Amino acid sequence: MAESHATAVHAEHDHKPHGWRRWVFATNHKDIGTMYLILSGVMFFIGGTAAMVIRAQLFKSGMKLVDPEVFNSLTTLHGLIMIFGAIMPAWVGLGNWMIPMQVGAPDMALPRLNNLSFWILPFAFTLLVGSFFVPGGSIAGGWYMYPPLLQQFGAAFPMTIFAIHLMGISSILGAINIIVTIMNLRAPGMSLLRMPLFVWTWLITAYLLIAVMPVLAGAVTMQLTDHYFGTSFFNAAGGGDPVLFLHLFWFFGHPEVYILILPAFGIISEVIPTFARKPLFGYDAMVYATASIAFLSFIVWGHHMFTVGLPVAAQMFFMLSTMLIAVPTGVKVFNWVATMWRGSMSFEPPMLFAIAFVFLFSIGGFSGLMLALVPSDYQYHGTYFVVAHFHYVLVPGAVFAIFAGIYYWLPKWSGRMYDMRLAKWHFWLSAIFVNVLFFPMHFLGLAGMPRRVADYAPQFTDWNMVASIGGFIFGASQLLLPYIVWKCVRSGKPIEANSPWEGARGLEWELPSPAPYHSWQSPPGEAVLAHADKH
Amino acid sequence: MKRARLGTLLGTLALAFAGDPLPAWGKSGWDELNMPRGVTNVSTRIYALHMMAFWVCVGIAVVVFGVMIWSLIFHRKARGAVPDVSLTHSTKVEIVWTTVPVLILIGMAAPAARLLVRINNNTDPQLNIRVTGFQWGWRYQYLGSNVSIISKLSASSAAASMMHSGISPTSVPHYLLSVDHPLVVPVGEKIRLLITSIDVIHSWWVPDLGVKRDAIPGFLNDASFTIAPDKTGTYRGQCTELCGRGHAYMPIVVHAVTPAAFEAWLKQQSALQSEAATHPPTTAATSG
Ligand code: HEM
Ligand SMILES: [Cu+2]
Ligand SMILES: [Cu+2]
């Protein structure tokens, strides 16, 4: 009986839909993961195109490539697209691909929900990107959408808010799926403190998503009703309070930046041990540090509002809580360095990106620490110094970790090896020019250049030119990635063993590469788990 | 038709990227690297705090990156390094690298907290000025007098900033950092700004004064500064909160003059403006 059931199920497994049905009705975690990653790539290039125009406009003082209002639209769309369209879907894509394999499950726990949460997104991004083309152009008040400025935009305003609603629903559904998968589909014997760190960081990220996406949705909906239904939540003339929106937004916004970076911590914690051929140093500390960062991220939002005029006691509180985040963040960096220490390192592309991550993310952490000191922040706030800070944590931070993950797992997904030489070119061009692009922004901010300006005084030209040139080369180098992936999938050399990486461990590498359509058709036993754990 | 347009676009681009001679105004851009020390007690103390935090970060970076670089050089497979797989945790080290950062942070937070309290002490001003942001400019009202100034981007900058103006920004004095009617204040006196907005959120920032405070509709924020008595001069800043199309075009210019000169100026303005009130229209004030 059990036997016949198993064969029946097996036969069904081999029968997957073909053609467009495979994608539109997709319920397979790998197919959905692939779609997320492709969507993310497309949005990355759309957002990147906006960035190229921004850098061209800022090439020198007096440049008038686009109208200032169009410029503001572009910075706003660039921010929204990169955060919601490029980085977040990339994490969901990587999570979809890897979490079932890493916990010993056949698929995600809720495959139809998975389909829904993906297919919401193309509609959301059509609304968001499409708003650029409606009369009046897209919203142009910055990605944080402060009122009353947001109220001044036309048809793009409700379009953007609906897009955010859709993205929020998609994120929440995705987060639920990930939590349920991790909680219920782990292989017997995989205790929580035996889970890979990518799974851990995603689990915590999923809780953050569920906690804060509704806050964002509520806050933007209140702006919508202020505009169309005569409420005055944020309208001072009607007795409302614009600063309330800032509180709500940043209560979402700060956890959001950790949503963008926690899965990156997970990937780096997988990649460094593999290429140092040594177990991760301080696994438990990593888990607790991640959890404390997630907790602290809820009580630091005021550091985005130091110039708003909060009471001194509140500014003091937010300064101290923000500085506290540096402690668990430091623990993470120290653990990565200690993992390299007395290892036996080799420098394949995933490791190169991981090493650059540790260096450059730390630089972003240092500027974060400087920004946390309120008196100094009075000078930094609203300038290019802040732009430098968050691009250091997000580009050589989150984005490099995505690259590390892709180069680490692409052979797993495709069963083929990519062109190592080209991937190293991708790395060196990215790592060098990301600094040419963003490091001068520290100088510009300190010297007094505000962010989000369409034009600036002549003395800022020199460093802006450097940044723009760095930006153009960095942007162009990114075209290598889709080419490398495409070439690998089409004609890469098949890998022989399960893993092309000598030091790799974890359940995903216990499966053949490419992995079977339904990853773990029966849960891995203790022997497999033990083999996956040990080096 | 289409091709011709493309041609002009490419032509404009080529011209635009061709570059200008060195800026005629201000220093060379290459040495614009750091925060200005400024001309108030607060701004110099912020500068000191900023440099302290910077050097602490450099110190931490040297240690952490140093260890990492050492490891990258010596613990490589290519050099025959053998992994020490037993090195998976060490309670002693972990306690050290949690407590030492806490101590460093306390060392940084203490002076920052003191300065924060000092900055937010806005009591006993000698002069109150109400600052109102609008799309796109600033209004300054000297409380206790009838003097009120509307301060907007100077005409020369505004003309040069237009699409297809053909005017090189380096030929304009203080392009985008000059206004028609600057704010005039006395040195050596404590000045309190009461900051608000009539439309969207703006932010009033003059780096040399160490003051940045948001102008929010429905709120009256305050900030104060005292310019050192020997620091008469012109100090420039900009709006630092995105406020729409003209955000880059609403600079702030502060003329700091001696108290005697200030009194004379205020009296003259007061007379001019009460006359203007009875015989409009007229314009007042100096140019910056
Ligand atoms: C040591 C850890 C960190 C500290 C102490 C820190 C501190 C700060 C502070 C104080 C600000 C506000 C600056 C201002 O507007 O005046 C800020 C802005 C920002 N931070 Fe961080 N940060 C840290 C890490 C991160 C990480 C890991 C990310 C994301 C991956 C991040 C992303 C951002 C973003 C996106 C902004 C700017 C938001 C905006 O105004 O548009 N930060 N950070
Ligand atoms: Cu934050
Ligand atoms: Cu502004």
Side-chain angles (χ1 to χ4, degrees):
Chain A
M1 175 66 205
E3 183 122 294
S4 73
H5 178 72
T7 20
V9 170
H10 194 246
E12 197 182 278
H13 282 171
D14 285 338
H15 192 78
K16 65 183 180 205
H18 288 282
W20 60 270
R21 280 193 178 77
R22 170 170 174 195
W23 304 104
V24 172
F25 302 133
T27 49
N28 179 277
H29 73 104
K30 299 192 187 70
D31 290 346
I32 294 176
T34 303
M35 290 195 292
Y36 265 109
L37 288 173
I38 291 173
L39 180 71
S40 155
V42 170
M43 298 309 287
F44 189 55
F45 282 100
I46 296 177
T49 308
M52 294 299 104
V53 180
I54 292 170
R55 279 321 317 169
Q57 167 78 8
L58 295 177
F59 190 76
K60 61 173 203 170
S61 170
M63 188 84 176
K64 287 151 207 129
L65 206 56
V66 292
D67 183 87
E69 190 67 5
V70 175
F71 178 86
N72 293 344
S73 293
L74 289 171
T75 53
T76 305
L77 277 185
H78 166 74
L80 289 169
I81 289 175
M82 286 307 198
I83 289 173
F84 292 105
I87 299 184
M88 289 172 71
W91 289 139
V92 186
L94 289 168
N96 251 295
W97 260 101
M98 299 319 300
I99 289 171
M101 287 197 230
Q102 290 193 314
V103 300
D107 203 308
M108 295 295 282
L110 308 164
R112 292 215 168 81
L113 197 71
N114 206 4
N115 175 292
L116 180 64
S117 57
F118 172 78
W119 278 110
I120 288 174
L121 286 182
F123 295 95
F125 296 138
T126 306
L127 274 176
L128 180 65
V129 177
S131 74
F132 187 71
F133 303 99
V134 300
S138 66
I139 65 161
W143 80 281
Y144 47 58
M145 303 176 286
Y146 286 175
L149 183 58
L150 189 70
Q151 303 283 334
Q152 297 183 346
F153 304 107
F157 163 65
M159 284 173 81
T160 309
I161 287 177
F162 290 142
I164 288 172
H165 286 154
L166 292 176
M167 294 186 284
I169 294 170
S170 161
S171 295
I172 290 171
L173 298 181
I176 291 173
N177 208 348
I178 282 173
I179 292 174
V180 175
T181 306
I182 296 173
M183 287 311 194
N184 296 307
L185 296 191
R186 265 175 296 135
M190 180 178 275
S191 60
L192 284 177
L193 281 178
R194 214 172 162 184
M195 295 193 313
L197 264 162
F198 182 62
V199 176
W200 252 118
T201 51
W202 234 126
L203 179 65
I204 293 173
T205 303
Y207 280 108
L208 287 183
L209 277 168
I210 292 180
V212 301
M213 291 311 288
V215 178
L216 174 67
V220 296
T221 307
M222 287 154 86
Q223 291 228 39
L224 200 68
T225 63
D226 271 6
H227 194 84
Y228 291 101
F229 303 108
T231 56
S232 289
F233 292 112
F234 308 127
N235 173 10
D241 176 357
V243 175
L244 174 63
F245 180 85
L246 275 65
H247 283 290
L248 292 172
F249 183 86
W250 290 115
F251 183 82
F252 148 80
H254 191 84
E256 169 67 20
V257 306
Y258 281 98
I259 288 167
L260 301 173
I261 202 69
L262 289 186
F265 291 166
I267 290 199
I268 302 304
S269 306
E270 308 268 328
V271 168
I272 291 181
T274 296
F275 296 93
R277 296 170 176 74
K278 195 168 149 276
L280 183 68
F281 187 92
Y283 171 93
D284 292 10
M286 282 302 217
V287 172
Y288 297 134
T290 311
S292 10
I293 290 175
F295 168 74
L296 288 173
S297 75
F298 286 107
I299 55 166
V300 299
W301 78 89
H303 67 216
H304 297 274
M305 302 168 60
F306 285 145
T307 61
V308 161
L310 301 177
V312 179
Q315 298 187 47
M316 197 77 83
F317 170 81
F318 286 121
M319 171 169 82
L320 298 176
S321 60
T322 303
M323 294 180 80
L324 215 51
I325 289 204
V327 177
T329 311
V331 166
K332 294 207 150 261
V333 173
F334 302 147
N335 280 336
W336 291 321
V337 174
T339 306
M340 296 183 200
W341 186 252
R342 305 232 305 260
S344 173
M345 278 186 273
S346 57
F347 302 102
E348 288 85 349
M351 182 63 161
L352 289 173
F353 276 108
I355 291 169
F357 174 98
V358 179
F359 275 113
L360 301 176
F361 174 79
S362 299
I363 292 180
F366 290 136
S367 55
L369 191 56
M370 295 172 74
L371 286 160
L373 301 175
V374 185
S376 309
D377 185 71
Y378 288 160
Q379 295 282 41
Y380 310 137
H381 177 75
T383 71
Y384 261 85
F385 192 81
V386 178
V387 179
H389 159 68
F390 67 73
H391 281 95
Y392 263 86
V393 284
L394 288 174
V395 183
V399 174
F400 275 22
I402 292 169
F403 292 164
I406 291 174
Y407 284 127
Y408 185 47
W409 285 313
L410 183 56
K412 172 86 246 161
W413 304 334
S414 64
R416 294 167 186 271
M417 190 35 103
Y418 49 85
D419 185 333
M420 225 29 123
R421 207 175 53 90
L422 269 186
K424 286 188 179 171
W425 268 99
H426 178 218
F427 168 75
W428 285 109
L429 287 169
S430 301
I432 292 170
F433 288 99
V434 84
N435 287 293
V436 178
L437 167 57
F438 293 123
F439 206 82
M441 293 186 185
H442 293 107
F443 305 148
L444 287 167
L446 293 175
M449 180 169 160
R451 63 192 282 202
R452 297 168 163 167
V453 288
D455 195 1
Y456 51 80
Q459 66 264 34
F460 301 130
T461 294
D462 295 329
W463 288 116
N464 268 299
M465 276 192 188
V466 173
S468 289
I469 291 168
F472 299 145
I473 303 180
F474 178 83
S477 324
Q478 301 320 311
L479 295 169
L480 280 171
L481 179 65
Y483 176 68
I484 292 168
V485 173
W486 180 76
K487 196 173 147 202
C488 167
V489 173
R490 270 184 61 110
S491 59
K493 191 165 159 290
I495 55 173
E496 271 135 40
N498 285 356
S499 159
W501 316 121
E502 189 184 43
R505 49 190 219 149
L507 274 184
E508 76 266 35
W509 301 111
E510 303 293 322
L511 286 170
S513 300
Y517 197 60
H518 293 279
S519 304
W520 288 96
Q521 290 168 30
S522 57
E526 183 54 41
V528 182
L529 273 176
H531 187 256
D533 274 353
K534 95 168 193 313
H535 235 322
Chain B
M1 166 66 196
K2 231 192 181 147
R3 180 159 301 168
R5 257 223 238 125
L6 189 67
T8 30
L9 181 68
L10 288 179
T12 329
L13 270 178
L15 268 178
F17 283 106
D20 269 320
L22 268 179
W25 302 91
K27 324 172 248 178
S28 144
W30 297 115
D31 36 72
E32 298 265 324
L33 299 175
N34 203 354
M35 185 190 283
R37 277 197 179 76
V39 292
T40 66
N41 175 294
V42 162
S43 71
T44 40
R45 285 175 66 181
I46 292 180
Y47 174 82
L49 181 70
H50 155 73
M51 289 315 288
M52 183 272 280
F54 171 72
W55 287 116
V56 169
C57 290
V58 169
I60 301 172
V62 166
V63 175
V64 177
F65 294 168
V67 174
M68 200 167 139
I69 289 169
W70 177 277
S71 205
L72 290 175
I73 294 172
F74 295 104
H75 304 150
R76 287 201 275 170
K77 193 180 178 215
R79 285 178 76 114
V82 182
D84 176 359
V85 291
S86 67
L87 189 64
T88 55
H89 71 274
S90 152
T91 314
K92 218 191 301 170
V93 187
E94 297 188 60
I95 290 177
V96 170
W97 72 38
T98 324
T99 45
V100 171
V102 170
L103 297 178
I104 297 176
L105 290 177
I106 293 174
M108 291 167 85
R114 264 199 303 276
L115 184 53
L116 173 63
V117 173
R118 162 84 168 70
I119 294 178
N120 285 280
N121 172 1
N122 297 318
T123 51
D124 302 324
Q126 286 150 281
L127 177 64
N128 284 300
I129 302 171
R130 180 202 262 265
V131 178
T132 309
F134 61 90
Q135 288 174 317
W136 289 278
W138 300 95
R139 179 175 187 201
Y140 302 112
Q141 289 160 284
Y142 291 78
L143 301 190
S145 89
N146 62 337
V147 176
S148 164
I149 293 174
I150 304 278
S151 182
K152 289 191 181 177
L153 184 66
S154 67
S156 56
S157 284
S161 73
M162 290 294 156
M163 270 291 181
H164 315 298
S165 73
I167 304 171
S168 160
T170 52
S171 70
V172 178
H174 300 288
Y175 176 62
L176 295 187
L177 291 177
S178 60
V179 296
D180 50 2
H181 306 300
L183 174 67
V184 179
V185 296
V187 297
E189 288 181 18
K190 181 164 182 178
I191 295 157
R192 180 165 69 148
L193 304 177
L194 297 154
I195 305 172
T196 187
S197 163
I198 53 161
D199 40 47
V200 301
I201 305 178
H202 305 267
S203 192
W204 196 89
W205 182 39
V206 178
D208 281 315
L209 304 184
V211 174
K212 180 182 293 137
R213 196 50 48 121
D214 292 357
I216 305 170
F219 280 73
L220 201 56
N221 265 330
D222 57 354
S224 53
F225 62 89
T226 312
I227 299 176
D230 57 334
K231 296 288 187 191
T232 54
T234 304
Y235 306 108
R236 297 169 198 277
Q238 281 177 268
C239 174
T240 44
E241 187 55 66
L242 178 57
C243 53
R245 189 170 183 278
H247 171 53
Y249 311 93
M250 53 181 290
I252 296 152
V253 177
V254 178
H255 271 330
V257 299
T258 60
F262 175 73
E263 286 310 324
W265 175 85
L266 194 68
K267 206 181 258 163
Q268 179 213 359
Q269 285 303 309
S270 174
L272 270 174
Q273 296 199 0
S274 50
E275 190 182 324
T278 39
H279 313 282
T282 186
T283 44
T286 45
S287 172

